[in-house]
């Protein structure tokens, strides 16, 4: 398994990072099988494991903790904080109060005394970034956290956090974790250049675009909805609804990508992560298999590298910085989600 350095942290990580969202009740409820999956990944040379406190309500972190017993020191372990962990309004977000409590919960569930990477899962408009960086810096200085990162931050938020860290003498974010795939290339416009400019390591998620880039959903086949598991059907239906223009376009482009992959002698699910890793800003790509067989299939493509002519053909199908279905984004900034933030109060609009 190829390795690289995670940004400027000096930490050596595998180019494939094992994402664990599907371990537990959200995907694979068989804990013994989940342990086998993690061990298979480690045995194959993956040394980077990413999880989050909110995955399956904490169950996933517990599974990962069990899987890493006896192997913890050989693993770069990352987890995340932000999303609700219960009904209390203070058991979520990026406040000092919650992060202090959340990190202890993650350490306990993971069975470790430190985290190699602790990430803010989403921006929090209710909390000043100074507050968030302050508590994260304290955790680094206490040795509970080795490095800190963000996830789904825009380029301006990345830069604001950088400036805040410099002005306030905080530890800066070392990493950013955005979605990135052939079908979701928006981060190429400003997020990836900002990360490169500031020496920030990038670990990307959803290289298969929630399964679209496995070739499972094909034109003329099933509608892409009826065969989905409950997680995709109930929570991310909009990502597969064929009436959405971006999804209809995906069906067309998948056909051309399958032909391209065949010409390269590759299955589409190997071409897709290789595309992500071809960008110089990307340190590692997160793969999120549900079963050992899925993992082994992805591992078989770990050493694939795409030539310029193949990348040129992908650019012709999906131009750089293009998101085919903008609804694929799991985070919408408040100034886009709330119309009132884009409009003057009625009393100021004039006659």
């Amino acid at each position: 398994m190829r390795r690289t350095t995670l940004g400027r942290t000096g930490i050596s990580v595998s180019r494939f990072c094992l994402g664990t969202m599907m371990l537990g009740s959200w995907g694979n409820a068989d804990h013994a099988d989940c342990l086998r999956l993690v061990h298979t990944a480690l045995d194959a040379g993956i040394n980077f494991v990413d999880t989050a406190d909110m995955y399956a309500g904490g169950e996933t972190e517990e599974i990962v903790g069990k899987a890493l017993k006896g192997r913890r020191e050989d693993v770069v372990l990352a987890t995340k904080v932000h999303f609700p962990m219960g009904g209390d309004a203070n058991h979520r977000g990026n406040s000092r109060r919650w992060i202090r409590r959340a990190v202890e919960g993650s350490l306990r569930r993971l069975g470790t005394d430190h985290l190699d990477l602790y990430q803010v899962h989403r921006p929090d408009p209710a909390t000043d970034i100074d507050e968030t960086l302050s508590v994260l810096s304290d955790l680094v200085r206490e040795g509970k956290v080795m490095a800190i990162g963000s996830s789904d931050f825009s380029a301006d938020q990345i830069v604001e956090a950088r400036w805040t860290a410099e002005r306030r003498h905080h530890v800066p974010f070392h990493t950013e974790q955005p979605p990135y795939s052939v079908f979701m290339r928006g981060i190429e416009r400003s997020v990836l250049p900002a990360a490169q400019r500031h020496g920030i390591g990038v670990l990307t998620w959803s290289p298969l675009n929630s399964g679209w880039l496995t070739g499972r959903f094909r034109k003329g086949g099933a509608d892409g909805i009826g065969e989905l598991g409950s997680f995709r059907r109930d929570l991310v239906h909009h990502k597969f609804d064929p009436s959405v223009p971006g999804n209809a376009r995906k069906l067309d482009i998948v056909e051309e990508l399958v032909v391209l992959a065949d010409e390269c002698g590759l299955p589409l699910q190997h071409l897709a992560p290789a595309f992500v890793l071809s960008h110089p800003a990307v340190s590692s790509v997160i793969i999120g298999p549900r079963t050992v067989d899925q993992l082994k299939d992805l591992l078989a493509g770990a050493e694939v590298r795409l030539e310029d002519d193949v990348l040129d053909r992908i650019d012709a199908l999906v131009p750089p910085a293009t998101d085919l279905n903008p609804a694929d984004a799991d985070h919408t900034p408040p100034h886009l989600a709330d119309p009132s933030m884009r409009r003057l109060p009625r009393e100021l609009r004039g006659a």
Side-chain angles (χ1 to χ4, degrees), residues 35-313:
L35 297 184
R36 284 192 292 273
L37 188 152
V38 175
H39 294 160
T40 299
L42 300 183
D43 292 343
I46 289 179
N47 79 324
F48 198 7
V49 177
D50 179 75
T51 188
D53 57 1
M54 57 89 69
Y55 292 165
E59 178 189 2
T60 301
E61 283 190 329
E62 293 177 352
I63 293 171
V64 171
K66 292 176 183 176
L68 296 185
K69 282 185 177 179
R71 306 184 71 164
R72 172 68 184 92
E73 291 307 310
D74 296 326
V75 172
V76 178
L77 178 59
T79 193
K80 300 183 284 291
V81 60
H82 170 81
F83 284 105
M85 292 292 286
D88 192 304
N90 284 319
H91 293 180
R92 66 191 70 184
N94 303 345
S95 69
R96 170 176 286 274
R97 185 180 192 275
W98 174 237
I99 289 176
R100 269 289 177 188
R101 181 168 179 176
V103 72
E104 297 299 337
S106 287
L107 290 170
R108 182 182 66 254
R109 287 186 293 270
L110 289 164
T112 186
D113 62 357
H114 72 281
L115 302 168
D116 297 297
L117 177 62
Y118 198 39
Q119 303 156 102
V120 175
H121 211 154
R122 292 292 185 274
D124 180 3
T127 306
D128 194 311
I129 190 63
D130 179 45
E131 180 83 359
T132 302
L133 288 171
S134 174
V135 64
L136 292 174
S137 298
D138 288 346
L139 294 174
V140 170
R141 292 172 182 131
E142 293 165 13
K144 291 183 178 180
V145 172
M146 301 295 107
I148 60 174
S150 58
S151 178
D152 263 10
F153 273 44
S154 61
D156 63 292
Q157 289 169 327
I158 291 170
V159 173
E160 180 188 6
R162 196 80 181 178
W163 285 349
T164 301
E166 290 178 0
R167 288 196 304 267
R168 302 290 290 171
H169 305 291
H170 297 319
V171 175
F173 283 137
H174 300 98
T175 63
E176 161 61 15
Q177 185 182 139
Y180 186 37
S181 70
V182 172
F183 285 168
M184 197 169 187
R185 302 183 60 175
I187 63 170
E188 294 173 341
R189 184 175 303 281
S190 55
V191 170
L192 292 181
Q196 286 178 291
R197 189 160 56 249
H198 294 287
I200 294 171
V202 178
L203 52 154
T204 67
W205 53 274
S206 199
L208 300 180
N209 195 233
S210 297
W212 278 99
L213 292 167
T214 63
R216 175 183 173 188
F217 309 112
R218 301 290 296 276
K219 199 168 185 179
D223 65 6
I225 297 297
E227 296 182 354
L228 296 175
S230 61
F231 178 80
R232 288 185 171 91
R233 185 179 61 249
D234 299 338
L235 297 181
V236 291
H237 181 278
H238 57 282
K239 295 185 179 184
F240 297 91
D241 185 347
S243 69
V244 174
N247 291 338
R249 182 68 180 133
K250 288 179 186 181
L251 287 171
D252 292 331
I253 296 176
V254 161
E255 297 304 314
E256 299 187 64
L257 287 173
V258 167
V259 172
L260 175 59
D262 285 345
E263 291 177 4
C264 295
L266 300 170
L268 182 54
Q269 64 267 29
H270 291 176
L271 180 143
F275 164 81
V276 173
L277 288 173
S278 70
H279 198 290
V282 175
S283 302
S284 188
V285 59
I286 298 172
I287 57 172
R290 183 176 55 83
T291 66
V292 173
D293 286 344
Q294 289 176 355
L295 171 63
K296 289 180 177 179
D297 180 47
L298 290 167
L299 288 172
E303 301 304 317
V304 171
R305 305 184 192 192
L306 302 182
E307 299 296 333
D308 286 348
D309 62 323
V310 176
L311 295 171
D312 289 342
R313 288 177 64 179

Side-chain angles (χ1 to χ4, degrees), residues 125 333-344:
H335 59 274
L336 297 180
D338 182 357
S340 69
M341 297 184 71
R342 303 190 301 273
R343 300 168 186 172
L344 282 170

